[in-house]
Amino acid sequence: MSEVKPDIILKYFKKLTEEQIAQFAQLYELYSFWNAQINVISRKDIDELYERHILHSLGIAKFCEFKAGEKVLDVGTGGGFPGIPLAILFPETQFHLVDSIGKKIKVVTEVASALGLTNVTASHLRAEQVTDKYNFVVSRAVTRLIDFYPWIQNKFAKENKNAISNGILYLKGGDLTEEIKESKLKAELYPLSAYFEEEFFETKFVVYIPQ
């Protein structure tokens, strides 16, 4: 197994604690182990884990810094993206990661436990079954916005704690003009290429939909 280091994370996030650096460094070994048993990301992608999954997840953090005491719901988290990287970066924020596939939630639970993340809960649920309220809902290209929004439209807390209003922070790629028009949502697009110079991010966006 080639050694893959989190250097690309340190390139863009300079103020990490020693504990956070150690947690990011553990992710390659943890995901290599679990991915061999339960396929949560493409097998050919494992060597690109830090760029295409972890840094991609952290693109949300370049647009919005979560505050202490805020609650974030990660819908369709798969193996823990974007929730796990964001939970490492924002240890004072509570993250609830949900997925309808139980074996993926097992991976999330095991990874969070191995990292000692006390701000992560993981549930084998569909988004519609979640009853709590959150400041933000995050997700990574689970489905089209027109289908996604009804799942989570009643999941937002009324009180805003952040510089931006509570809402959806959705990671998506490609030309989103038609999808946003179809959804009839007031969406704002923020290109990840404004934050990250790697070619992978040239067509990737954070889609912000305030509530």
Side-chain angles (χ1 to χ4, degrees), residues 50-95:
Y50 282 104
E51 179 180 306
R52 296 187 180 176
H53 298 278
I54 299 167
L55 188 61
H56 188 209
S57 297
L58 295 175
I60 287 172
K62 286 294 187 184
F63 172 68
C64 172
E65 291 197 9
F66 297 125
K67 307 298 183 193
E70 284 190 317
K71 293 169 68 178
V72 178
L73 175 67
D74 178 1
V75 172
T77 188
F81 302 104
I84 292 280
L86 290 170
I88 294 173
L89 197 63
F90 299 108
E92 303 296 315
T93 303
Q94 295 300 313
F95 290 86

Side-chain angles (χ1 to χ4, degrees), residues 63 137 143-146 148-149 152 164-172 174-191 205-211:
F63 172 68
V137 172
T143 187
R144 292 178 76 81
L145 287 167
I146 195 171
F148 181 79
Y149 187 72
I152 52 83
I164 63 170
S165 300
N166 294 349
I168 299 167
L169 295 165
Y170 203 62
L171 291 166
K172 201 104 198 230
D175 184 350
L176 302 173
T177 313
E178 184 195 327
E179 182 175 339
I180 289 168
K181 189 176 177 184
E182 169 194 60
S183 74
K184 298 185 169 61
L185 296 167
K186 287 190 173 137
E188 301 170 18
L189 286 180
Y190 295 89
F205 298 89
V206 174
V207 183
Y208 170 51
I209 302 166
Q211 289 306 290

Side-chain angles (χ1 to χ4, degrees), residues 2 44-45 64 72 80 108 116 122 124-125 132-133 167 182 190 195:
S2 62
K44 67 180 190 302
D45 246 12
C64 172
V72 178
V108 171
H124 176 204
L125 290 173
D132 215 340
K133 304 287 185 186
E182 169 194 60
Y190 295 89
Y195 312 117

Side-chain angles (χ1 to χ4, degrees), residues 34 37-38 78 101-112 122:
W34 284 107
Q37 301 180 57
I38 300 167
I101 300 172
K103 63 185 181 180
K104 292 187 175 179
I105 287 299
K106 175 179 171 56
V107 174
V108 171
T109 304
E110 294 289 348
V111 169

